[in-house]
Amino acid sequence: MKKIRDINILISLSVYVCAIGLVVITQTEGISYGYEIKGFEKTLESIINFSAIIIGFYTAMYGVLLTLKNSDIFQNFKFHNAEKIVKFQLYESLISSFLILILSIALQILINYINPFTNFICAIWLGTLFVFVVSTFRAISLLLKIMFNHSGKEQEASVLGESKQARYDSFKKKQEDK
C-alpha cells in the first residue's frame, strides 16, 4: 500500500508542477491569456456550470459514503492505512472545484477590466483548471470504485493473498467488536 501512496503523491506533485508551469508560461506570455480567445465568456459559463454540477455530485456522494463507512472497502482502507489517500483526493478535488468556480466567476467580471491583475488571475485560473480536471477525474474514479466494489471472500483472498487473509479477517473481527 506504501507503493500506491507513493504513486498518488507523485501524481499529485506532478499535477501541481504542471499547473505552476502553466501559470508561469502564461505570465511570461508563452500562452495567450484566456480572455483573448474568442468565445472565452461561453467557456467560463460552461466551466461554472460543470464545477457546480461536480460540487453537487460530491455532496451527494459524501452522503452515500457515510452509509458505507462500515463496508468491506472501508475496512480494506483501514487495514492498508489508505484512509489518508482517500481523504486527500476527495479534499483536493472539492477544494479545486470551489477554486475554479470562484475564479471563473471573478474572471467574468475582470475580463471587462484588462490590467496586470486580470492577467495574473487568468494565469492562476488556467493552472487551477488543470488541477480541477485531473483531481476531478481521480476523485470520481475513486468514488466509482468505492460505489461499485463487490468484494467477497474469494475476491479478498486473491487480492490480499492467502497469508494476509488471516490478518485481514482478524482486523475485520476487531472492527466489528468495537
Side-chain angles (χ1 to χ4, degrees):
M1 199 42 111
K2 184 178 182 195
K3 184 177 178 181
I4 292 173
R5 187 188 73 216
D6 293 344
I7 290 170
N8 276 315
I9 290 170
L10 184 63
I11 290 171
S12 293
L13 286 176
S14 62
V15 167
Y16 292 127
V17 167
C18 289
I20 291 169
L22 279 172
V23 170
V24 170
I25 291 170
T26 304
Q27 279 295 101
T28 59
E29 298 183 21
I31 298 174
S32 63
Y33 294 106
Y35 59 77
E36 295 174 348
I37 299 170
K38 192 174 184 176
F40 183 67
E41 289 183 32
K42 295 281 188 191
T43 302
L44 286 175
E45 291 173 14
S46 298
I47 289 173
I48 289 170
N49 289 333
F50 181 70
S51 62
I53 290 168
I54 293 297
I55 291 169
F57 174 77
Y58 289 152
T59 304
M61 290 303 287
Y62 295 153
V64 172
L65 287 178
L66 286 175
T67 63
L68 297 174
K69 70 180 179 180
N70 293 323
S71 68
D72 288 342
I73 193 157
F74 280 102
Q75 297 299 323
N76 250 338
F77 287 154
K78 286 179 185 176
F79 181 73
H80 292 291
N81 296 320
E83 292 174 304
K84 290 179 183 178
I85 296 169
V86 173
K87 285 180 186 178
F88 175 77
Q89 282 188 354
L90 296 178
Y91 277 127
E92 177 188 43
S93 60
L94 186 63
I95 290 168
S96 68
S97 299
F98 275 109
L99 280 175
I100 200 66
L101 179 66
I102 292 166
L103 288 172
S104 296
I105 292 169
L107 271 177
Q108 282 187 320
I109 297 167
L110 291 175
I111 58 174
N112 297 315
Y113 308 99
I114 304 302
N115 57 43
F117 180 71
T118 304
N119 294 343
F120 178 72
I121 294 298
C122 191
I124 295 293
W125 176 83
L126 186 61
T128 305
L129 181 64
F130 181 76
V131 172
F132 168 69
V133 169
V134 173
S135 68
T136 298
F137 177 77
R138 289 175 66 203
I140 289 177
S141 297
L142 176 67
L143 289 170
L144 290 174
K145 285 177 188 174
I146 291 171
M147 293 304 301
F148 296 112
N149 177 48
H150 300 290
S151 63
K153 289 288 180 190
E154 302 82 25
Q155 202 174 19
E156 289 173 3
S158 65
V159 171
L160 296 175
E162 293 301 326
S163 63
K164 292 183 181 179
Q165 185 63 37
R167 285 188 5 225
Y168 177 73
D169 289 338
S170 171
F171 173 80
K172 196 171 175 182
K173 183 169 174 29
K174 286 179 188 175
Q175 293 296 319
E176 290 172 357
D177 292 340
K178 287 183 181 180

